[in-house]
Amino acid sequence: MRQLSSLPATVTARPSASGKVRRVLMTASTTGPVWTYALELSRALGRRGVEVTLAVQGEPLTALQWAQVRSVPGLSVEQSTWRLEGPEDAWDDVAAAGEWLLELESRLQPDAVHLNGYCHAALPWTRRPLVVAHACPLSWWEAVKGEPALERDMRYRWEVARGLRAAGHVVAPSAELLASLSRHYGPLRSSGVIPPARRHEDFPPGPVREPFILATGRLWDEARNLEVLETVAPRLDWPVLVAGDSQHPDGGEVRARYVRALGWLPQAELAGYMGRASIYVLPARYEPSGLAVLEAALAGCALVLGDIPSLREVWEDAAVFVPPEDTDMLARALRRLVSEPVLCSRMSTLARTRALEFSPDRMADAYLAVYADLDRASGGVSAVQPQLARAT
């Protein structure tokens, strides 16, 4: 059974940059980085007079999330409890959610449909939707498990391929993710890169960098690869702090021996830790969006990252890179930054300078260009290639 609710917010904004796109229907999940991304983009669009309706699936919004919605101009929420695409037993929910989304389009008459997922792009929309890729389970499997994902859930692969073929345009946070979509699901008719962004005001650098190393994520997450910090931490002079949920989805709590587990932290508290930490470390095997890295860089942390294409693409020359499985190299990289404060400060400056290029306003302008093109096409094939949100 679905659960629906709606919450409008007052619009106090300057005119839309597009001059035409005023209403956007956007899908989102209530957990993970997609929620953060959707709020940030909705806020930037709202400042341009664009009203966004978030059609959310999954767990009901928390009181904190409703408070976040109320703080965003022009944002309203339609809430459902349909499960997201992915699990093999969720296809009935995916179908029901599709009917609900078409009802919303009919009632709201949006100028653009923005899907933060794949399968629903194949629905009979009034105009071709925008599909934004945030991850690819098949490339996740290859990166994390180290083997081809050839036999993984053929139904899911077929549904995603069908959605991507139907999309008017496909956006990803990196060229690496776009390439993986083409490799696994076939050529994309129209695509572009728009990196995610965060407001720098929400992640201010502290007045003094303190002698500790920060990581974020769940210790059991194979993609983020934070378990290697348990091996490295005893070899460092500074403590390693890890902010993230320690509850394993299969039950029980993952206990750390050598790193200090902070547990899940609200954004303001996490931003405080980032503003004080000297180094942020993420030895990831797979990281398609990099939102946490962006937040740490805005807060002024020097970055030590897994040497994978998606992170190289964004942070080349602004971070120290180490192979995800090489604990000796990771320990050496961290020890060098700890022992050389001038180098650590320089890497901090480089990271923050790069991070400031990814502004929410640039991100919103890039999406508005895509929305306007799809609106003009009115169901035709889009040929737009949006400007990147990062300055060149």
Side-chain angles (χ1 to χ4, degrees):
M1 178 178 294
R2 76 182 181 220
Q3 173 184 340
L4 302 178
S5 55
S6 179
L7 176 66
T10 302
V11 179
T12 55
R14 61 179 182 267
S16 165
S18 71
K20 185 174 183 181
V21 176
R22 294 287 184 168
R23 294 182 302 278
V24 175
L25 175 61
M26 183 187 305
T27 62
S29 59
T30 56
T31 57
V34 174
W35 174 254
T36 302
Y37 153 89
L39 279 181
E40 195 72 83
L41 178 56
S42 296
R43 181 182 292 108
L45 292 172
R47 290 195 297 270
R48 284 155 169 72
V50 179
E51 299 179 14
V52 177
T53 298
L54 281 184
V56 298
Q57 295 174 238
E59 296 295 322
L61 270 67
T62 65
L64 174 60
Q65 288 174 318
W66 279 118
Q68 292 173 325
V69 170
R70 294 186 185 97
S71 72
V72 177
L75 180 62
S76 61
V77 167
E78 297 284 345
Q79 185 172 207
S80 79
T81 55
W82 305 121
R83 288 183 296 170
L84 299 165
E85 64 189 50
E88 294 182 13
D89 62 347
W91 293 115
D92 287 345
D93 280 45
V94 171
E99 294 179 6
W100 172 62
L101 290 172
L102 290 177
E103 291 171 5
L104 288 178
E105 186 200 30
S106 177
R107 172 159 58 87
L108 299 174
Q109 296 294 302
D111 301 311
V113 174
H114 175 140
L115 302 177
N116 288 305
Y118 302 112
C119 300
H120 288 136
L123 294 172
W125 301 100
T126 302
R127 52 177 58 81
R128 287 188 186 273
L130 167 67
V131 167
V132 179
H134 296 274
C136 169
L138 301 183
S139 59
W140 177 95
W141 184 271
E142 291 181 341
V144 171
K145 302 299 184 181
E147 62 184 32
L150 298 178
E151 304 303 323
R152 297 280 296 169
D153 194 350
M154 296 305 294
R155 167 74 184 274
Y156 177 78
R157 184 194 290 263
W158 183 81
E159 294 283 0
V160 170
R162 194 164 69 104
L164 289 171
R165 285 196 302 269
H169 192 71
V170 178
V171 162
S174 68
E176 168 64 19
L177 182 51
L178 277 182
S180 74
L181 294 178
S182 296
R183 186 171 70 254
H184 289 297
Y185 307 106
L188 305 175
R189 68 168 70 236
S190 175
S191 63
V193 174
I194 303 179
R198 296 291 271 139
R199 291 188 302 176
H200 68 85
E201 300 92 340
D202 291 338
F203 299 91
V208 178
R209 310 311 299 190
E210 298 181 16
F212 69 88
I213 300 165
L214 181 67
T216 57
R218 298 161 294 193
L219 281 170
W220 49 264
D221 188 337
E222 295 176 273
R224 298 183 79 83
N225 194 33
L226 298 185
E227 69 270 16
V228 301
L229 298 178
E230 279 282 276
T231 301
V232 171
R235 301 155 65 179
L236 305 174
D237 293 333
W238 287 1
V240 178
L241 282 56
V242 178
D245 191 356
S246 58
Q247 292 296 127
H248 196 282
D250 295 334
E253 184 174 353
V254 179
R255 297 190 179 277
R257 183 176 179 184
Y258 296 109
V259 303
R260 178 184 165 194
L262 301 174
W264 179 86
L265 300 176
Q267 178 182 299
E269 190 174 350
L270 176 59
Y273 275 98
M274 288 179 169
R276 304 195 323 267
S278 293
I279 302 168
Y280 177 83
V281 59
L282 181 65
R285 299 184 180 104
Y286 182 75
E287 178 55 41
S289 69
L291 270 179
V293 180
L294 176 60
E295 293 167 354
L298 286 171
C301 297
L303 303 177
V304 177
L305 307 176
D307 194 355
I308 57 177
S310 61
L311 293 177
R312 275 274 186 187
E313 182 179 327
V314 177
W315 301 103
E316 185 76 70
D317 301 326
V320 176
F321 292 93
V322 296
E325 310 302 334
D326 194 332
T327 55
D328 289 338
M329 187 176 289
L330 178 58
R332 287 197 299 271
L334 291 170
R335 283 201 302 264
R336 185 180 180 194
L337 289 176
V338 166
S339 64
E340 299 184 31
V342 174
L343 176 62
C344 191
S345 177
R346 179 172 179 271
M347 296 307 300
S348 166
T349 300
L350 289 172
R352 190 162 194 271
T353 301
R354 176 67 54 80
L356 289 171
E357 297 176 7
F358 299 95
S359 75
D361 285 337
R362 284 177 176 166
M363 176 175 66
D365 287 342
Y367 276 106
L368 281 170
V370 177
Y371 296 156
D373 180 81
L374 292 174
D375 185 49
R376 286 191 298 269
S378 298
V381 177
S382 170
V384 71
Q385 293 295 331
Q387 289 185 334
L388 301 190
R390 172 183 162 190
T392 56

